[in-house]
Amino acid sequence: MRGGFIVDKNYRAELVGVLGDPVDGNPTGVMEEAGFAEAGLNWRYITVKVLPGDLDAAMAGMKAFNMRGVNLTMPHKIDVLKHMDALSEAARVIGAVNTVVRREDGTLFGENTDGKGFVQSLRDAGVELAGKRICLLGAGGAARSIGVECALAGASRVAVINRNVERGAALAEVIGKNTRAEAEYIPWVGPAKLPEGTDILINATCVGLHPHGDECPDVDFGGVRPGMVACDVIFNPVDTPFLRACAARGARTIDGLGMLVNQGCINFELWTGVKAPRDAMYATLKAEFGV
Ligand code: NDP
């Protein structure tokens, strides 16, 4: 019998992934793996369910598996901070990490790419933020990231409308203290009224997310006018009642898919050091959603 042997073959893929709960419907892995395939990289992105009390064990496992990095999603974006050896300026100001990079020396670097992906999706649509007046609905993780990055990108005013007073006021304070933008908190009582002169209206709440895709944030859409830009962070479904209501009043709309692909590209580049094949990643994501 003849024995065979293998020379110089690497069956070990570099690993990245997402830790969170729920993650079953998270499409990021499909998008990232399409990017790895297109770039010819032997990398895999695994989607891992990590329950709220299990993050410490999961981060130890991530290190033990020599993973190159991870994304964090609900409910771990804040708890993961204590595992970081270094933070980007944005992650420090936002107070949350959605992307971890494991450096060559084994230390963990935390970044927050949600807001950066959002700002890029505006630029992709030809919308510049310099001098713009923003009305931001919500003050959760996505809203914090978006509010801070819009202000850092030059928005002149950010009005935060949120039900929970503490969270809303805290976000306005963070933006006011750390950026040049004016920031104010407006309590959400009854249909939200847009401040005079709003240029860009952003739904950064989770209202309208599958399986509640027919729900719409309680907004006085009478304040929406032609020329205004309306954006939704919800990407599932891609077309939301919020965007439809804004479009019906003449606003230009930007859906949440662009933000998702852009933050996916930023993560790809942070991990691999290779330029992300955005077209392939975006096409894969669109195919997933049938748009
Ligand atoms: P959080 O749980 O941190 O925040 C939820 C926010 O929604 C809070 O401000 C909350 O207000 C508000 N909210 C919830 N229900 C209502 C309601 N009925 N009326 C008004 N406000 C409400 O979630 P995240 O910020 O992490 O995520 C928000 C959304 O962003 C999710 O749908 C997520 O899928 C999406 N997202 C999209 C990304 C993309 O790439 N497109 C990236 C990241 C997130 P309160 O504080 O008053 O409770």
Side-chain angles (χ1 to χ4, degrees):
M1 187 174 143
R2 288 171 52 194
F5 62 91
I6 293 163
V7 183
D8 286 345
K9 279 219 171 185
N10 184 4
Y11 290 109
R12 182 185 67 83
E14 301 294 343
L15 287 182
V16 288
V18 58
L19 314 178
D21 179 42
V23 284
D24 289 7
N26 191 318
T28 304
V30 179
M31 166 177 69
E32 296 288 357
E33 292 214 336
F36 297 148
E38 179 73 16
L41 295 172
N42 183 18
W43 284 55
R44 297 297 311 274
Y45 187 106
I46 55 176
T47 301
V48 187
K49 177 171 172 170
V50 175
L51 296 174
D54 290 338
L55 182 66
D56 294 350
M59 290 306 291
M62 175 250 177
K63 283 188 165 182
F65 282 11
N66 273 295
M67 290 179 74
R68 300 288 293 266
V70 281
N71 286 137
L72 285 309
T73 185
M74 266 174 23
H76 303 307
K77 289 184 184 181
I78 295 171
D79 286 352
V80 80
L81 284 170
K82 65 176 184 284
H83 294 279
M84 297 301 103
D85 298 298
L87 289 177
S88 73
E89 176 68 4
R92 186 190 61 73
V93 173
I94 294 160
V97 160
N98 77 331
T99 304
V100 175
V101 180
R102 187 159 193 254
R103 292 162 158 167
E104 293 271 310
D105 63 2
T107 57
L108 301 183
F109 169 73
E111 174 60 285
N112 194 310
T113 59
D114 284 337
K116 290 181 172 66
F118 176 81
V119 167
Q120 186 58 44
S121 74
L122 289 188
R123 291 195 175 125
D124 293 340
V127 178
E128 275 307 322
L129 278 153
K132 295 285 164 50
R133 289 154 299 184
I134 311 280
C135 176
L136 181 62
L137 306 174
R144 282 180 75 88
S145 188
I146 288 169
V148 168
E149 294 287 358
C150 284
L152 290 174
S156 60
R157 190 186 77 195
V158 181
V160 178
I161 303 184
N162 197 55
R163 294 176 316 181
N164 179 291
V165 176
E166 266 177 32
R167 270 195 288 276
L171 175 53
E173 193 181 323
V174 161
I175 294 170
K177 277 194 177 152
N178 292 280
T179 74
R180 290 194 188 156
E182 263 177 48
E184 68 168 320
Y185 165 63
I186 302 171
W188 198 331
V189 184
K193 284 207 181 325
L194 310 193
E196 201 59 33
T198 296
D199 299 303
I200 303 175
L201 169 64
I202 306 163
N203 175 37
T205 74
C206 49
V207 181
L209 179 65
H210 177 79
H212 305 290
D214 56 344
E215 291 181 5
C216 187
D218 190 14
V219 173
D220 176 1
F221 288 101
V224 176
R225 52 176 172 72
M228 202 180 265
V229 175
C231 317
D232 208 330
V233 296
I234 303 291
F235 54 81
N236 185 17
V238 178
D239 184 27
T240 61
F242 171 78
L243 290 179
R244 285 199 294 275
C246 292
R249 307 281 311 183
R252 199 173 150 199
T253 60
I254 297 177
D255 65 46
L257 222 47
M259 172 180 173
L260 187 64
V261 74
N262 289 332
Q263 55 100 5
C265 289
I266 299 168
N267 299 341
F268 185 106
E269 290 170 9
L270 283 171
W271 291 324
T272 67
V274 172
K275 186 161 173 45
R278 185 179 186 277
D279 290 349
M281 292 165 73
Y282 205 5
T284 301
L285 209 47
K286 283 181 174 165
E288 284 299 305
F289 286 97
V291 295

